[in-house]
Amino acid sequence: MSEPTNQGNEKLRGTEFEKLANHSMGEMFPEFDAAAMALCFNLIRLANRITADLEVSIHRPEGLSFSAFRLLFAIRAVGAGNPNELARLSSVSTASMSSLLNTLEKYGLVAREADSTDKRKLLVRLTPLGESRVAELARKNSLRESDWAAGLTTTEATILAELLRKLLQHHPPRP
C-alpha cells in the first residue's frame, strides 16, 4: 500500500486527486487503462460538478430540481409523451417519475391525460404555465452553460461536443 500524501489536513486539488487515484488504481490493478480511467474519471467528476452547479445556481432558487427542469425541457422539446419515454429522454429514473410528475402537476406545470389512441396509456404535456417556466429556466440554464463553456475556445467546445456524442453512441457490451 502506498504512503498517503494527504493526511486529511488540506483540501486536495482535482489534479492531485486524479494523480492519487491513478496511482492507487495502478497498485490494485497494474494492467489498468490509464487513458480510459482518466477519461471516465474526469467526465464523471465534471458532469457531477456541472449538475450540482446548475441545481444550486439556477433551479433550486427557482423552486425546482434540476431533474424537474430536465423533464420539463424534454416535454418542451418533443411534445406530450408517455412517462416512460420522457423519463428516458430526461435521464430521470422511472422510479422517481411518478413523484416528480405529482410535484409538477401540483405546481400547475404539467397535465396528465389519456392518450387519444389508447385510453390505457397516459400522456404528459406542459401547461401554459409550464411552457413559460421552462422557457425562463432554459434561458438561465443556457447562460450558465455558456459560463462553463467559456473555459474552452469555440473550436475546442465543438470538438469536445462531437467526441462526447461519439461516446454516447458507443455502448460497450454488458458483462
Side-chain angles (χ1 to χ4, degrees):
M1 183 168 190
S2 67
E3 181 180 317
T5 59
N6 184 318
Q7 301 298 320
N9 299 329
E10 60 190 63
K11 187 174 180 179
L12 280 174
R13 291 181 15 173
T15 55
E16 293 164 346
F17 177 47
E18 181 180 356
K19 287 176 187 172
L20 291 171
N22 199 13
H23 179 75
S24 184
M25 188 64 177
E27 287 181 336
M28 294 183 294
F29 180 55
E31 307 83 13
F32 84 106
D33 182 339
M37 180 184 165
L39 171 72
C40 294
F41 183 82
N42 287 308
L43 274 174
I44 291 166
R45 290 175 62 228
L46 180 61
N48 289 339
R49 189 171 294 165
I50 291 172
T51 298
D53 178 64
L54 292 171
E55 179 96 30
V56 170
S57 300
I58 307 299
H59 303 290
R60 285 291 174 193
E62 295 290 332
L64 291 174
S65 66
F66 187 49
S67 296
F69 168 72
R70 290 192 321 263
L71 176 57
L72 292 172
F73 187 81
I75 298 168
R76 175 63 178 82
V78 302
N82 75 61
N84 286 341
E85 179 65 2
L86 291 171
R88 184 185 70 78
L89 293 172
S90 59
S91 300
V92 172
S93 74
T94 53
S96 65
M97 188 65 161
S98 179
S99 173
L100 189 54
L101 286 174
N102 287 342
T103 300
L104 293 174
E105 194 170 44
K106 181 178 79 174
Y107 291 162
L109 302 175
V110 300
R112 292 182 257 202
E113 55 195 37
D115 186 330
S116 61
T117 60
D118 184 347
K119 299 292 184 202
R120 296 170 297 170
K121 293 183 180 178
L122 190 67
L123 290 177
V124 180
R125 65 170 177 78
L126 291 176
T127 64
L129 178 60
E131 285 276 353
S132 66
R133 288 286 283 154
V134 75
E136 172 189 331
L137 289 169
R139 184 185 70 72
K140 290 178 180 181
N141 203 80
S142 178
L143 292 171
R144 191 64 179 168
E145 289 168 344
S146 293
D147 291 342
W148 277 98
L152 301 174
T153 67
T154 301
T155 301
E156 290 170 333
T158 301
I159 292 168
L160 180 57
E162 187 58 37
L163 292 171
L164 292 172
R165 280 186 209 98
K166 187 174 182 178
L167 280 175
L168 284 166
Q169 295 299 315
H170 173 71
H171 300 283
R174 292 192 182 207

